[in-house]
Amino acid sequence: EGDGVPLLRRLQIFPLIGMLESYGEILDPHYTQGGLPGYYPPIKANRPELWFNLYDPFNWFDEEKDKVRGRQCEINNGRLAMLGIFGILSEAKVPGSVPLISGLIPEYSGNPMIPFETDFTLF
């Protein structure tokens, strides 16, 4: 369970997410104004510590059709992952709410929507 992980270990993901989000937000045009969602420009040459690009580290998707198909697959995989994690959360909080995995997920007595409830002492 995530409740047993110390606070600093739970917080360490935020700098990485923040770096990726800030790098994606500086693009022109922005994805809310006609840009591609999920597109990150090649960063291999922009930063010396980054040896690979994020989306295509080994240059496997050189053709434009593969890139379009890959982006569509990534969006669909993200949607499926969200459905899956909320199904698991629902089953853990209300046993029997997801018949397909009923009895496979142990009951969770905490609040899954407040992950830092146990020891969030910054405020």
Side-chain angles (χ1 to χ4, degrees):
E1 285 186 20
D3 292 341
V5 179
L7 177 64
L8 290 178
R9 289 192 182 174
R10 285 187 268 169
L11 292 176
Q12 72 183 355
I13 190 70
F14 290 123
L16 176 65
I17 293 171
M19 287 188 297
L20 289 175
E21 285 295 324
S22 65
Y23 190 68
E25 291 293 320
I26 62 173
L27 297 177
D28 198 32
H30 193 265
Y31 67 89
T32 60
Q33 299 168 345
L36 287 172
Y39 172 73
Y40 289 94
I43 59 174
K44 181 178 176 183
N46 295 343
R47 301 291 305 243
E49 69 271 9
L50 297 172
W51 297 344
F52 298 108
N53 288 321
L54 292 176
Y55 181 72
D56 186 15
F58 302 111
N59 293 325
W60 288 344
F61 301 108
D62 288 334
E63 297 180 24
E64 196 60 35
K65 65 177 179 140
D66 287 340
K67 288 182 182 180
V68 169
R69 183 184 174 281
R71 284 191 186 108
Q72 189 62 43
C73 287
E74 185 67 24
I75 289 171
N76 289 337
N77 287 340
R79 290 173 180 161
L80 241 141
M82 286 187 284
L83 284 172
I85 194 67
F86 277 106
I88 290 171
L89 287 172
S90 300
E91 179 63 31
K93 194 63 182 165
V94 182
S97 63
V98 184
L100 190 63
I101 57 174
S102 183
L104 297 175
I105 308 296
E107 187 174 350
Y108 179 63
S109 61
N111 188 347
M113 295 299 142
I114 307 176
F116 301 113
E117 178 181 36
T118 56
D119 62 353
F120 193 65
T121 56
L122 293 179
F123 299 108

